[in-house]
Amino acid sequence: MQRLNLEEIGRLAGVSRSTVSRVVNGEANVSNTAKERVEAIIAETGYRPHAAARSLASNRTGVIGLVIPSAAETLFDDPYFGRLILGATSASNDMEMTLALFLFEDESDQQSIIRRVIGSGLVDGVIVTAAEIGNSVPDVLRRANLPFVLVGRPDDETVSPHSIDLDNPGGAMLAAGHLADLGRTRPALISAPSNTTAGIDRHKGFIEGLANHGLDVEDRTAEGNWTEASGQTAMTSLLPLEPDSVFVASDRMAVGALRAIREAGLTCPDDIAVVGFDGLIPADQTTPRLTTVMHPVTEIGHRAATLLKSLLDDPDHPAERVMYESQLMIRESCGHQESAS
Amino acid sequence: MQRLNLEEIGRLAGVSRSTVSRVVNGEANVSNTAKERVEAIIAETGYRPHAAARSLASNRTGVIGLVIPSAAETLFDDPYFGRLILGATSASNDMEMTLALFLFEDESDQQSIIRRVIGSGLVDGVIVTAAEIGNSVPDVLRRANLPFVLVGRPDDETVSPHSIDLDNPGGAMLAAGHLADLGRTRPALISAPSNTTAGIDRHKGFIEGLANHGLDVEDRTAEGNWTEASGQTAMTSLLPLEPDSVFVASDRMAVGALRAIREAGLTCPDDIAVVGFDGLIPADQTTPRLTTVMHPVTEIGHRAATLLKSLLDDPDHPAERVMYESQLMIRESCGHQESAS
DNA sequence: GTACGGTTTGGGAGCGCTCTCAGGAAAGGG
DNA sequence: CCCTTTCCTGAGAGCGCTCCCAAACCGTAC
């Protein structure tokens, strides 16, 4: 089967390659008659421009990469990455771009993928999710001059001009305020890994929020690793300290915490109030329904892709740091606020 | 910044473009001295071949697509797709290929993506997951002569020569046999959507497995849509029929069923034994630990990618239908088998 | 009738690579 | 010592597109 090309379409339509190219790319300065003839032929033949040839000539590929430099195993236990992928995909579809996925299973993967992506012109730019603090990916990208957008707070501000993040400290402060307002006086904290900026920010925000109300976690803290199991373990270890409430830095971990509470024969919210973070778990999947800080992950993924596209279209795009506000979603795991007052 | 190319590397190494190309592609018939000189220059300069140029000349892109023609919303509620992506990614990494992700949110997405992928040479081939019966994607791919591998059972055998699937009926029969062996006599079934081959096969296998033991679900059946909420709803609707056991066609739905049982004041496994399907949920995330039929999804994703690669390397690759056996993982949600006898 | 802007069109060059082929060098046999 | 075989190398062509420039065309104004 002979591949159709511009020249051939032009021959059939009685115009030149150049004119066909202009029609295909929707450029101005083409007469209506020529345009119609060409479009008819294209519809008739089902012609599609060849992506590689186009890339070679124009130095653009129409592909953006989504780079997730995390251990792959923990990746789909939490709905976070799925939602991020969804948002980025949706935006890519809208922009007629293609999304390529780069997951690293280990350090050597990271090396080989980075090497393959950089300088090969495979992608026009990438979205990178913040991984452990000190991860070298953003820095490598910056030095390679590959346009990229960071999702999450950069651990080093100089490394990336463009980033999209949630106000993690603010969200955690909301949680702290909520618990304080309900009269809880012995709050505990199950934090996310302290080698991630999200983990640090949520931790810090919660402590600060408590301090604003004259409260303190004292030694009622434990660290999880985002998994449900780690939340359960952490909660179990905190129970002897008799907390009357706990802020858990992710919903998935909060589910584990709820189980630990239930298995210890205690009840939520009567004995212990629980606030989660992310809002990615359907409300009716927990008993009681989990009060949590909302994190618009899908929207963030979407925004990351559109911002990246802006960078590609305009190399002088000014540095942009998008910050999403978090909101507290009050459900049942902390008891009733209004009726309590 | 001037882009490095073969010619330039050749100049620096004192050889021709062609020789550099041979070294880069690991071809034979290059003298050791030339090879070493070229490799030294490449290492020194950090040269990477330009993907688009290579594609244009060789008609291969090194990119494979993963096509998931499903409503995106339900996509990441179940860990299934995440695992599939993980497996395919891992294999792609090993093969030095890039994985592009194509998710459809609606019918118009499907149209536009398919159009963009086909004939543009964007990808060398694709992995397609089976969607609702009657979905046109596989047929379109076949007619476009784009190599592809189907994950799941094709609803029409003629549409795809290559497929990778799990023995869904066999797995469901194992579940039926297990319940029968434990002396359960009033089994119920919460099935997966009947417009998917997996849904049909698991349903059929379970009914058949029961029949082999002289059992029947009678009217104790309900259909879910893979979500946890639907599992809960389905179980709640079945409780008045007083089943003593239930086979749930996915773990996520089984978690919902467990909650329905608990909320009705019944206990599992004493009042109702539960068997799930997929084995994708960590054992300790359910109470009691869920007995389930294992589904090696990650491995299936991996195998799909390697099979696709074989097709690309050898266009005459014989039709291949890979079928994975399922295994029953006995945990606690059906009670003890050995000690009961 | 000529001159002049603006619009439309076609062709050349070139993006960086692979593939084929032919020629030169090295190695081995008579 | 010459001829054949094998190994290695370089040059040419071409993949299908975009970008740029110059030519052709159009209508209007003088």
Side-chain angles (χ1 to χ4, degrees):
Chain A
M1 194 174 77
Q2 173 62 29
R3 182 164 228 305
L4 286 167
N5 59 26
L6 282 184
E7 201 83 53
E8 177 70 6
I9 299 296
R11 202 183 56 72
L12 293 172
V15 297
S16 76
R17 180 171 40 99
S18 304
T19 300
V20 179
S21 172
R22 290 188 190 97
V23 172
V24 168
N25 292 295
E27 289 173 26
N29 293 342
V30 183
S31 68
N32 277 331
T33 60
K35 190 174 169 198
E36 280 163 21
R37 259 210 313 271
V38 170
E39 281 174 344
I41 298 289
I42 288 178
E44 191 179 311
T45 56
Y47 164 77
R48 296 286 126 205
H50 192 280
R54 182 177 259 182
S55 301
L56 181 58
S58 68
N59 215 23
R60 278 175 278 108
T61 65
V63 178
I64 63 183
L66 177 56
V67 178
I68 304 185
S70 288
E73 67 216 53
T74 64
L75 214 145
F76 289 105
D77 188 46
D78 197 295
Y80 175 80
F81 289 105
R83 297 302 167 87
L84 197 68
I85 291 174
L86 219 52
T89 302
S90 150
S92 302
N93 286 352
D94 293 348
M95 303 182 303
E96 303 257 291
M97 306 277 286
T98 298
L99 189 80
L101 197 59
F102 299 96
L103 307 181
F104 307 145
E105 288 177 89
D106 51 41
E107 185 64 26
S108 78
D109 268 13
Q110 175 164 331
Q111 297 299 330
S112 87
I113 290 176
I114 286 291
R115 192 166 308 146
R116 192 144 45 82
V117 169
I118 290 190
S120 70
L122 235 181
V123 300
D124 291 336
V126 297
I127 299 168
V128 194
T129 63
E132 303 82 41
I133 288 174
N135 183 287
S136 61
V137 171
D139 199 49
V140 171
L141 292 173
R142 187 181 54 75
R143 279 187 297 200
N145 265 324
L146 190 69
F148 73 103
V149 169
L150 187 80
V151 172
R153 178 169 70 79
D155 48 302
D156 173 358
E157 293 282 331
T158 64
V159 91
S160 138
H162 310 283
S163 66
I164 314 246
D165 199 8
L166 176 74
D167 181 6
N168 282 301
M173 288 177 77
L174 289 177
H178 185 57
L179 294 178
D181 289 347
L182 292 170
R184 305 282 173 164
T185 56
R186 296 181 57 81
L189 166 65
I190 296 177
S191 58
S194 56
N195 65 350
T196 65
T197 56
I200 293 172
D201 292 354
R202 293 178 191 180
H203 183 118
K204 212 171 128 221
F206 184 66
I207 301 292
E208 205 173 313
L210 287 182
N212 291 346
H213 291 80
L215 294 172
D216 189 359
V217 291
E218 296 164 11
D219 57 350
R220 294 183 296 275
T221 71
E223 183 171 317
N225 66 358
W226 303 114
T227 65
E228 196 169 313
S230 76
Q232 182 169 4
T233 307
M235 190 71 236
T236 303
S237 76
L238 290 174
L239 287 177
L241 303 174
E242 301 185 347
D244 63 3
S245 54
V246 61
F247 168 58
V248 191
S250 87
D251 285 351
R252 202 81 241 165
M253 293 195 291
V255 171
L258 285 174
R259 181 169 323 105
I261 291 170
R262 190 167 56 237
E263 290 186 358
L266 299 170
T267 68
C268 166
D270 295 346
D271 298 313
I272 303 183
V274 177
V275 189
F277 205 111
D278 280 347
L280 300 180
I281 294 187
D284 54 11
Q285 264 184 37
T286 62
T287 316
R289 293 153 51 92
L290 186 66
T291 287
T292 191
V293 178
M294 301 301 282
H295 184 174
V297 182
T298 308
E299 163 124 21
I300 286 176
H302 195 281
R303 188 82 173 77
T306 54
L307 172 55
L308 179 56
K309 174 81 166 127
S310 311
L311 301 184
L312 299 177
D313 291 344
D314 170 19
D316 299 324
H317 195 91
E320 197 162 334
R321 299 201 174 278
V322 182
M323 175 79 87
Y324 280 82
E325 286 305 310
S326 25
Q327 278 189 311
L328 187 66
M329 169 65 78
I330 298 176
R331 293 200 277 238
E332 293 154 12
S333 63
C334 296
H336 294 289
Q337 183 165 34
E338 301 308 319
S339 56
S341 62
Chain B
M1 194 173 77
Q2 172 62 28
R3 180 163 230 305
L4 287 165
N5 59 25
L6 282 184
E7 201 85 50
E8 179 68 8
I9 299 296
R11 203 183 55 73
L12 293 172
V15 297
S16 76
R17 182 169 40 98
S18 304
T19 300
V20 179
S21 172
R22 290 188 189 96
V23 173
V24 168
N25 293 294
E27 289 171 27
N29 294 342
V30 183
S31 69
N32 276 331
T33 59
K35 190 174 169 195
E36 280 163 20
R37 258 209 314 270
V38 170
E39 282 174 345
I41 298 289
I42 289 178
E44 190 179 311
T45 55
Y47 165 78
R48 295 287 126 206
H50 192 279
R54 183 177 258 184
S55 301
L56 182 58
S58 67
N59 215 23
R60 276 175 278 109
T61 65
V63 178
I64 63 183
L66 177 57
V67 178
I68 305 185
S70 287
E73 67 215 52
T74 64
L75 214 145
F76 290 105
D77 187 47
D78 197 294
Y80 175 79
F81 290 105
R83 297 301 167 85
L84 197 67
I85 291 174
L86 217 54
T89 302
S90 149
S92 302
N93 286 351
D94 294 348
M95 303 181 302
E96 304 255 293
M97 307 278 286
T98 299
L99 189 80
L101 198 58
F102 300 96
L103 307 181
F104 308 145
E105 289 177 88
D106 51 40
E107 185 64 25
S108 78
D109 268 14
Q110 175 164 329
Q111 297 298 330
S112 88
I113 291 177
I114 286 292
R115 192 165 307 148
R116 193 144 45 83
V117 170
I118 291 192
S120 70
L122 235 181
V123 299
D124 290 338
V126 297
I127 300 169
V128 193
T129 63
E132 303 81 42
I133 288 174
N135 183 286
S136 62
V137 172
D139 200 47
V140 172
L141 292 173
R142 186 181 53 77
R143 278 186 298 199
N145 266 324
L146 190 70
F148 73 103
V149 170
L150 187 80
V151 173
R153 177 169 70 79
D155 48 302
D156 173 357
E157 293 282 330
T158 64
V159 91
S160 139
H162 311 283
S163 66
I164 313 242
D165 199 7
L166 175 74
D167 181 6
N168 281 302
M173 288 177 77
L174 288 178
H178 184 57
L179 293 178
D181 288 348
L182 292 170
R184 304 281 175 165
T185 58
R186 296 180 57 81
L189 166 65
I190 296 177
S191 58
S194 56
N195 64 349
T196 64
T197 55
I200 293 173
D201 291 355
R202 292 178 192 180
H203 184 118
K204 212 173 129 221
F206 185 65
I207 300 294
E208 204 173 315
L210 288 182
N212 291 344
H213 291 80
L215 293 172
D216 189 358
V217 290
E218 295 164 12
D219 57 350
R220 294 182 296 274
T221 71
E223 183 172 317
N225 67 358
W226 302 114
T227 67
E228 196 168 315
S230 75
Q232 183 168 3
T233 307
M235 190 70 234
T236 302
S237 76
L238 291 172
L239 287 177
L241 304 174
E242 301 186 346
D244 62 3
S245 55
V246 61
F247 167 58
V248 191
S250 88
D251 284 353
R252 202 80 244 166
M253 293 195 290
V255 171
L258 285 173
R259 179 168 326 106
I261 291 170
R262 191 167 55 240
E263 291 186 358
L266 299 171
T267 67
C268 167
D270 295 347
D271 298 313
I272 302 183
V274 176
V275 189
F277 205 111
D278 280 347
L280 300 180
I281 294 186
D284 53 13
Q285 265 186 36
T286 62
T287 316
R289 294 153 51 92
L290 186 67
T291 288
T292 192
V293 179
M294 302 301 281
H295 184 176
V297 182
T298 308
E299 163 122 22
I300 285 175
H302 195 282
R303 187 81 175 75
T306 53
L307 173 55
L308 179 56
K309 175 80 164 127
S310 311
L311 300 185
L312 299 177
D313 291 343
D314 170 19
D316 299 323
H317 195 91
E320 197 161 334
R321 300 201 173 278
V322 181
M323 176 78 87
Y324 280 83
E325 287 304 309
S326 26
Q327 278 188 310
L328 187 66
M329 168 65 78
I330 297 177
R331 294 200 276 240
E332 292 154 13
S333 63
C334 297
H336 295 289
Q337 184 166 32
E338 301 310 320
S339 56
S341 63

